Amino acid sequence: MLAGLQRVGLVAPRQLALKGRSGSAKALGVAITQRQTVAALYAHSRRPFSSRNSNSKSNGDEKNSGVRVMGSLYPADEWTNATPAILEKTGRNLLHKPSHPLAILKDIIFKEFPTFAHYDALSPVVSTFQNFDSLGFAKDHPGRSKTDTYYVNEKTLLRTHTSAHQLQLLAAGAQKDAGLLEQAKNGDKAARNERFLVAADVYRRDEIDSSHYPVFHQMEGVCTFSRNEIQKMMTDQGAAADNGPAEQGGNAARLTDTTVIGDSNPKQMEHTADEVAFLVEHMKQSMNRMVVQILTRAMAAKSSGDKQTTSSDGNSGNDTRFPVRWIDAYFPFTSPSWEMEVLYQGEWLEICGCGVMKQEILDTAGMTDRVGWAFGFGLERLAMLLFGIPDIRLFWSTDPRFTDQFQADKINTFRPFSRHPVCPKDISFWIPNAAEFHENDVMDLVRETAGDLVEGVKLIDSFTHPKTGKESRCYRINYCSMDRNVTNEEINGIQDKVRDRMVRQLKVTLR
């Protein structure tokens, strides 16, 4: 679930996996029968029309006839916009490197949910049905645009969120599809996929700065209960009783929650008030525990050697509980919905979005007797805070001065090993037709040309000519290597290529 809640950065609110992109999505009542839905899911899981070893090289004919992703060749068409630089990232598998910060964080979260099935190796290539239609995205939703999404072809793309697998995994549980269930790292927990976590790389065309990257990683969780199970647990043990994370560590958070379920954040008609109360209590306690455990380890890493305990809001004393607050939110795939914030080092940090799952999703998957909750967030955003990593590009670095700093199952603070000077270059141009120009096209072109030498691209000036009505823009491109000094001559050569491609590909007129 969980279409993009807070992007990877500390400031841009787009990555956490549950929040939708700009624009509203229609309710989930899409006219798709269960048989059609399952057929669409499994049809796409079949092997594409050509497949080879992932290390094989494409010849000229293959480049003309299709797009190769992780060894498989897909047909190309007018929708194809996934660039070579992006496709190269599909095989990097950062989440499978035990000592990588993102893998460390993933494993910590997996351990916090031992009763959930754990998935971290699902292919990034999905169908438009999986990524959009199965979640009720409107046909005109901006997330479907080629300016936002990397398309392999009209019907196939690089997933923009881990939510693309939600209905697929729920249906696999209901259908007992061994092929998918066996992909769980802890297969014994995936008997019906009634609870699962998905960690994966996701792809979006976006701006360029120290906290945004076109490839990032999300973690999403789904937890379901049968209605009879909820009734029995409420009768026997109380609303949040469970042998999972919800019953443990609830007192570790100093909670502020003034939210109410009402007209502005309603329950669904399919759910009773008791069911919603149970799900909300279980969900919030589970989230409290997970976040507190992670941030407690981060605080221990930062304050190792200190004899005096310091609470997360900066006050010394014996109270080590983390202040946590909940606020109402809206997401297309849950209702009611919330965002969770934690006071960490003096600032309120938005950690995740979550809510009671739309019943249509469960019904379509064949789990009509179950209800559930879901959460999602971006791993980079939290990892940058936990490890003190200042630039998102570093996650992709192979420099031993970066990679050797981290160990599996350990949170420690990143030690900067270099800081090289920024080389800024400006590019000014007239836009031929403002209606056809999109800033993400500029970002993608610059990143494809200069790679990770680009630290940031920022619009610094724009104006409209009073007589001709033409629009002019000026962007500042900051070039800065993470591991070496660059020369002005080298950057001038790259800038010339950027200028040339802007004219050829975007049809702008340079000033």
Side-chain angles (χ1 to χ4, degrees), residues 92 138 167 184 224 377:
R92 290 287 299 275
L167 180 57
T224 70
F377 60 91

Side-chain angles (χ1 to χ4, degrees), residues 108-180:
I108 290 172
I109 297 171
F110 276 1
K111 290 176 182 177
E112 288 299 315
F113 293 89
T115 64
F116 287 47
H118 301 158
Y119 294 90
D120 67 356
L122 299 176
S123 171
V125 181
V126 300
S127 66
T128 53
F129 175 85
Q130 288 174 283
N131 202 79
F132 299 122
D133 300 318
S134 71
L135 296 167
F137 276 72
K139 293 298 183 183
D140 60 351
H141 192 281
R144 294 179 182 262
S145 170
K146 290 199 293 183
T147 60
D148 277 23
T149 296
Y150 288 108
Y151 280 88
V152 176
N153 54 50
E154 183 179 8
K155 299 298 183 181
T156 311
L157 51 87
L158 299 179
R159 62 182 163 226
T160 65
H161 49 197
T162 48
S163 310
H165 300 289
Q166 186 182 96
L167 180 57
Q168 177 188 26
L169 290 174
L170 289 169
Q175 300 288 328
K176 294 182 171 55
D177 174 24
L180 274 173

Side-chain angles (χ1 to χ4, degrees), residues 165-435:
H165 300 289
Q166 186 182 96
L167 180 57
Q168 177 188 26
L169 290 174
L170 289 169
Q175 300 288 328
K176 294 182 171 55
D177 174 24
L180 274 173
L181 299 179
E182 289 173 357
Q183 294 187 44
K185 296 184 66 176
N186 53 346
D188 61 311
K189 306 299 182 183
R192 287 195 61 197
N193 267 357
E194 294 168 349
R195 298 182 176 189
F196 59 80
L197 297 177
V198 178
D201 48 345
V202 297
Y203 300 77
R204 294 186 197 164
R205 304 183 75 197
D206 210 341
E207 60 194 284
I208 300 176
D209 59 34
S210 63
S211 60
H212 289 77
Y213 205 78
V215 189
F216 57 102
H217 298 77
Q218 289 183 343
M219 174 72 74
E220 147 174 14
V222 167
C223 181
T224 70
F225 300 87
S226 72
R227 285 186 154 102
N228 289 337
E229 184 181 5
I230 289 179
Q231 187 60 46
K232 185 177 186 303
M233 292 170 68
M234 292 182 65
T235 301
D236 294 347
Q237 302 174 16
D242 181 48
N243 62 356
E247 76 167 345
Q248 308 170 37
N251 292 330
R254 193 158 71 248
L255 182 65
T256 300
D257 187 355
T258 60
T259 62
V260 296
I261 299 173
D263 292 341
S264 61
N265 199 15
K267 79 174 186 67
Q268 300 164 56
M269 294 181 61
E270 299 92 334
H271 299 155
T272 69
D274 286 345
E275 288 171 342
V276 172
F278 174 91
L279 292 171
V280 171
E281 181 73 6
H282 190 277
M283 175 190 71
K284 288 186 176 181
Q285 289 198 24
S286 298
M287 295 297 96
N288 289 345
R289 171 179 165 79
M290 177 190 72
V291 171
V292 166
Q293 291 292 335
I294 293 171
L295 295 184
T296 296
R297 296 186 63 164
M299 291 295 292
K302 292 178 182 298
S303 60
S304 59
D306 292 348
K307 294 183 178 180
Q308 188 176 37
T309 301
T310 303
S311 66
S312 61
D313 59 0
N315 297 322
S316 297
N318 295 322
D319 188 356
T320 59
R321 295 178 302 166
F322 284 88
V324 173
R325 69 181 183 187
W326 291 84
I327 59 176
D328 291 329
Y330 167 78
F331 308 126
F333 322 120
T334 57
S335 185
S337 307
W338 294 271
E339 292 174 353
M340 178 191 188
E341 296 181 339
V342 175
L343 189 63
Y344 182 69
Q345 295 187 337
E347 295 185 3
W348 284 104
L349 169 66
E350 184 179 343
I351 292 295
C352 73
C354 51
V356 177
M357 296 175 63
K358 284 291 182 70
Q359 193 59 38
E360 291 94 329
I361 296 177
L362 290 162
D363 291 348
T364 302
M367 293 188 174
T368 57
D369 63 329
R370 303 188 73 82
V371 295
W373 56 265
F375 73 86
F377 60 91
L379 291 177
E380 275 87 347
R381 185 173 189 266
L382 191 52
M384 291 176 78
L385 290 169
L386 299 188
F387 294 94
I389 296 173
D391 192 319
I392 194 171
R393 294 178 298 167
L394 283 165
F395 288 114
W396 297 91
S397 175
T398 58
D399 191 320
R401 292 174 295 177
F402 175 78
T403 59
D404 290 351
Q405 290 193 35
F406 307 102
Q407 301 176 34
D409 199 36
K410 181 180 179 181
I411 294 177
N412 57 277
T413 302
F414 168 69
R415 300 184 306 278
F417 52 84
S418 64
R419 176 59 186 173
H420 299 285
V422 174
C423 182
K425 298 290 181 180
D426 293 349
I427 182 169
S428 301
F429 52 86
W430 295 103
I431 299 174
N433 186 338

Side-chain angles (χ1 to χ4, degrees), residues 208 425-429 441-451 453-454 456-457 475-479 490-508 510:
I208 300 176
K425 298 290 181 180
D426 293 349
I427 182 169
S428 301
F429 52 86
D441 292 331
V442 176
M443 303 296 173
D444 224 35
L445 184 150
V446 172
R447 200 185 292 277
E448 180 69 18
T449 306
L453 284 178
V454 181
V457 178
Y475 286 87
R476 175 157 298 162
I477 306 173
N478 286 328
Y479 295 93
E490 176 186 8
I491 298 305
N492 282 341
I494 295 174
Q495 184 73 356
D496 287 343
K497 292 179 181 178
V498 170
R499 291 167 61 87
D500 179 64
R501 292 185 67 178
M502 290 282 289
V503 173
R504 288 188 293 107
Q505 294 179 218
L506 304 186
K507 310 302 181 184
V508 303
L510 298 178

